[in-house]
Amino acid sequence: KQEVTQIPAALSVPEGENLVLNCSFTDSAIYNLQWFRQDPGKGLTSLLLIQSSQREQTSGRLNASLDKSSGRSTLYIAASQPGDSATYLCAVRRLYNNDMRFGAGTRLTVKP
Amino acid sequence: DTGVSQDPRHKITKRGQNVTFRCDPISEHNRLYWYRQTLGQGPEFLTYFQNEAQLEKSRLLSDRFSAERPKGSFSTLEIQRTEQGDSAMYLCASSIRQGQDMNTEAFFGQGTRLTVV
């Protein structure tokens, strides 16, 4: 059974700081891993998709890495801004299944 | 096409009533997913369609829940005899499968927030 864990559950940082969010999963048999952002009461916005054969993806100030063998992914946010405040979710798409398994998310607050 | 669309955005219903939600995926996407999310948790998988075929259902999807995608385009999720425990955000997502490539990005709608009173 695939379990996805995100640490920390909540994080508060001052504006401008670089930060790392962590995601771990128990079963390395995955197709891909996707990072999402969710604002309160809203749906999910896709940030980055990493294929199982890739080690990292970058988009603007965001960089996501994947170490499939150890069951870990990180989301690095550079030069954080108050507008980055949201909940960040990671999800893995498993081999031989068609669903995505989500972590509970990290709630990020960036203080001006 | 601006993305995945869900309707309604909010629904308040009395316990025991039936409710139906609609999802319109991105037009060329042949895969459609329903998820449920409760406060402070990540989304949980409910069911998935490829075109009009419902290929997978979670054990979370009790017999009070039914989902359809009759023409392989929009989908509906119906909950019969709602219970207070059904209160949650119901999220729809779509993606495209091309040949054997399953490594495609999933896009989510804004969700339908259901409150059962």
Side-chain angles (χ1 to χ4, degrees), chain A residues 31-32 34 36 38 41-44 46-49 51-52 89 93-94 97-104, chain B residues 9 31 33 35 37 40-43 45 48 56 89 91 95 102-110 113:
Chain A
Y31 272 117
N32 59 39
Q34 197 165 351
F36 294 90
Q38 186 173 33
K42 305 291 187 181
L44 279 64
S46 178
L47 297 174
L48 289 165
L49 171 73
Q51 315 285 14
S52 61
L89 295 152
R93 186 186 297 278
R94 302 179 291 166
N97 289 85
N98 295 293
D99 62 325
M100 286 181 291
R101 190 63 57 91
F102 282 82
Chain B
R9 293 290 309 278
R31 295 192 146 191
Y33 309 81
Y35 284 80
Q37 186 179 27
Q41 301 298 315
F45 171 76
Y48 136 80
E56 196 167 334
M89 174 80 89
L91 294 161
S95 67
M102 291 188 65
N103 291 332
T104 59
E105 195 170 1
F107 295 89
F108 279 76
Q110 290 297 299
R113 178 164 296 284

Side-chain angles (χ1 to χ4, degrees), chain A residues 41-93:
Chain A
K42 305 291 187 181
L44 279 64
T45 300
S46 178
L47 297 174
L48 289 165
L49 171 73
I50 310 179
Q51 315 285 14
S52 61
S53 59
Q54 297 176 323
R55 294 194 67 84
E56 66 178 310
Q57 283 285 349
T58 298
S59 176
R61 294 182 294 107
L62 305 179
N63 176 276
S65 69
L66 174 65
D67 184 343
K68 199 173 66 167
S69 61
S70 67
R72 295 173 188 266
S73 176
T74 61
L75 180 67
Y76 174 83
I77 303 176
S80 57
Q81 303 170 357
D84 295 331
S85 298
T87 295
Y88 290 81
L89 295 152
C90 71
V92 295
R93 186 186 297 278

Side-chain angles (χ1 to χ4, degrees), chain B residues 4-59:
Chain B
V4 180
S5 176
Q6 292 189 244
D7 182 71
R9 293 290 309 278
H10 304 275
K11 178 71 176 179
I12 300 174
T13 191
K14 291 183 178 179
R15 189 174 51 188
Q17 297 294 305
N18 299 343
V19 294
T20 300
F21 311 140
R22 176 178 170 126
C23 171
D24 287 89
I26 294 172
S27 59
E28 66 269 24
H29 284 189
N30 50 11
R31 295 192 146 191
L32 187 147
Y33 309 81
W34 285 99
Y35 284 80
R36 180 172 70 186
Q37 186 179 27
T38 53
L39 199 62
Q41 301 298 315
E44 295 175 295
F45 171 76
L46 292 178
T47 190
Y48 136 80
F49 291 85
Q50 176 147 324
N51 299 311
E52 66 277 7
Q54 187 174 19
L55 296 185
E56 196 167 334
K57 292 196 294 185
S58 163
R59 285 174 293 178

Side-chain angles (χ1 to χ4, degrees), chain B residues 51-95:
Chain B
N51 299 311
E52 66 277 7
Q54 187 174 19
L55 296 185
E56 196 167 334
K57 292 196 294 185
S58 163
R59 285 174 293 178
L60 292 175
L61 212 65
S62 77
D63 56 6
R64 295 185 298 104
F65 288 70
S66 62
E68 294 183 344
R69 195 183 183 197
K71 297 182 180 179
S73 56
F74 74 91
S75 176
T76 58
L77 177 68
E78 181 184 16
I79 309 174
Q80 297 181 328
R81 304 181 304 280
T82 52
E83 302 172 355
Q84 286 187 319
D86 297 331
S87 296
M89 174 80 89
Y90 290 83
L91 294 161
C92 176
S94 71
S95 67

